[in-house]
Amino acid sequence: MKLSSLFCAATLTVGLSVGVTHATDQAAPAAFSEPLLTSLPSEMVVDSPVIQGDAIEQFVRGDFAARRDMLNQWPASVEELDQLVAYIDANQLYSDAAGHTYLFQDEQVLRYPSLEVVEQPSGFRQVTLINTLKQALNFSQAKVKLADDEPKQRLAAVKILESNPSQIDPALLAPALAAETDAKVLVRLQQLQARLDIQATNTAKQIEAANILAGSNHPEVLALIRNKLAEPDLSAELTAALKAAESSVQTRLKTSEWSGHFFAGLSMASILLLAALGLAITYGLLGVINMAHGELIMIGAYTTYVMQGFFKTHFVGAVDWYLLAAIPAAFLVSAMVGMIIERIVIRPLYGRQLETLLATFGVSLILMQVIRMIFGAQNVEVTNTSWLSGGIALTPSLMLPYNRIAIIVFTVVVLLLLMWLIAKTRFGLFVRAVTQNRQMARAIGVRSARIDMMAFGLGSGLAGLAGCALAQIGNVGPDLGQSYIIDTFLVVVVGGVGQIMGATLAALGLGIGGTFLEVGMGAVLAKICLLVLIILFIQKRPQGLFAVKGRFVE
């Protein structure tokens, strides 16, 4: 009888241990659906051996209780905790039957932490967390970051807590509020506390919370205030405070929204300017309406895609830096294609604009079909580099993506370099001379045919740079250039033929103005309205914003 009892007890203990360990990769049991960072029932806690080494490896090897204990008291740096969260969010963390840790990135198995490429081991499976541990992982981040010396880390902790305000332990906020010295972080902590206090039963505390929340620009705060206003039997003072807070938050959200539209318009203007700079040079210098300019943009985008694949194959450790090689490659490939088009197709047709328009339109169809034959008709994806992923959160409702910021900065750099090239170099002097008076330039020894080819190559290379930039914000396909060619021509016509400054102002006007019109009246009506405004403008000023200067212009 005693032996039987001992055997049953041992079996129950082993079964409980296995069940808790197995729960790590399965759905959350009902007993684990309590608020975050709270203790499990004592009968569910399993003692785990202390595992030495890297904290992420220790987390992967641990069972449910060990992982929970690590999250309650993270033993390593905040950077390692951030890395753990990033791996789990990206579904990249794996383990094998022996408990070793691996990363699965770019279709390759990497041994952690050495990051050596290895064969897939036996028992290879993804490390997944039940909902309780996922939430505890995020709040562990917040708990660790709140104790950090850097205000930036503490602000990041507040952002994590703001995403799950219903699960916040008030005991976590009180010491953080008392110890905070940074004004920006303190305001966000006070607003977070106010989101809890507005649900209190004390009217005075609710009014104080409403006054604090009036300074917020978080969309969830507006929803919280409106839900509170919908409650019955609110006092007149509380109702007035809530309505004032609602109006203030709504105004702040509108300001953030329109700031976001302005930024989107600025980034669109940058793309239009990149695409139009090359056309401004070729159209202004040669008088050629190049309908294949959009396909030169497409070639730049596909060159970026090819460089990405080349780095993934030959430079796995440096794949994040493929963009630095793709920029000059996109310029050179598009420039060479452009010079070939100029020599073979356009040169025999100088002075015959209708024929060059039709010929370059045929070239555009040929280039699109060649791309379809090489890469297929489907869009291809160019992956953003890690250093261009994410963005700057100016407010909870306003995010400025890094990739669009990079495009704006890149456009400014290209514009300044182009202005220096045209204004300060011998090549630029020849381009200006041929543009203003081709016959006189020939008379003084300028080889206009060579200048034509080089200028066309420069304009085509700039189109390739536009394609490289476009590849960072969307998919790349054979029809990519067709989406921008009309707007590019409009920029050149409005700005003035061959005028870089005019193209810059026109791109800003069309990009930002078009974005605001789309917000107000929809994409179709906005395009119609924009075209009508451009027609009226050209009727009043046919030469655009800036006219070409010179005694004789061909």
Side-chain angles (χ1 to χ4, degrees), residues 363-415:
V363 170
S364 72
L365 296 178
I366 292 171
L367 290 177
M368 282 193 290
Q369 190 59 40
V370 169
I371 290 296
R372 288 191 182 99
M373 292 169 61
I374 297 174
F375 298 99
Q378 300 299 321
N379 290 346
V380 296
E381 183 181 0
V382 177
T383 307
N384 260 346
T385 59
S386 62
W387 44 279
L388 287 182
S389 300
I392 300 174
L394 296 184
T395 70
S397 56
L398 178 59
M399 172 75 75
L400 306 184
Y402 287 136
N403 56 356
R404 290 189 177 269
I405 294 174
I407 288 174
I408 294 172
V409 174
F410 179 64
T411 302
V412 172
V413 171
V414 171
L415 178 62

Side-chain angles (χ1 to χ4, degrees), residues 50 213 264 284 351 404:
V50 177
L213 291 177
R404 290 189 177 269

Side-chain angles (χ1 to χ4, degrees), residues 464-511:
L465 293 181
C468 183
L470 283 171
Q472 300 302 305
I473 60 174
N475 290 329
V476 176
D479 301 325
L480 174 66
Q482 297 297 309
S483 305
Y484 294 93
I485 185 64
I486 301 300
D487 289 337
T488 302
F489 272 110
L490 291 178
V491 169
V492 174
V493 171
V494 172
V497 175
Q499 298 299 306
I500 296 176
M501 187 53 65
T504 302
L505 295 177
L508 287 173
L510 292 176

Side-chain angles (χ1 to χ4, degrees), residues 288-292 346 349 352-364 489:
V288 173
I289 302 175
N290 181 18
M291 295 302 293
I346 296 176
L349 301 174
R352 301 157 62 184
Q353 289 192 351
L354 180 60
E355 285 84 346
T356 55
L357 186 150
L358 293 175
T360 53
F361 178 70
V363 170
S364 72
F489 272 110

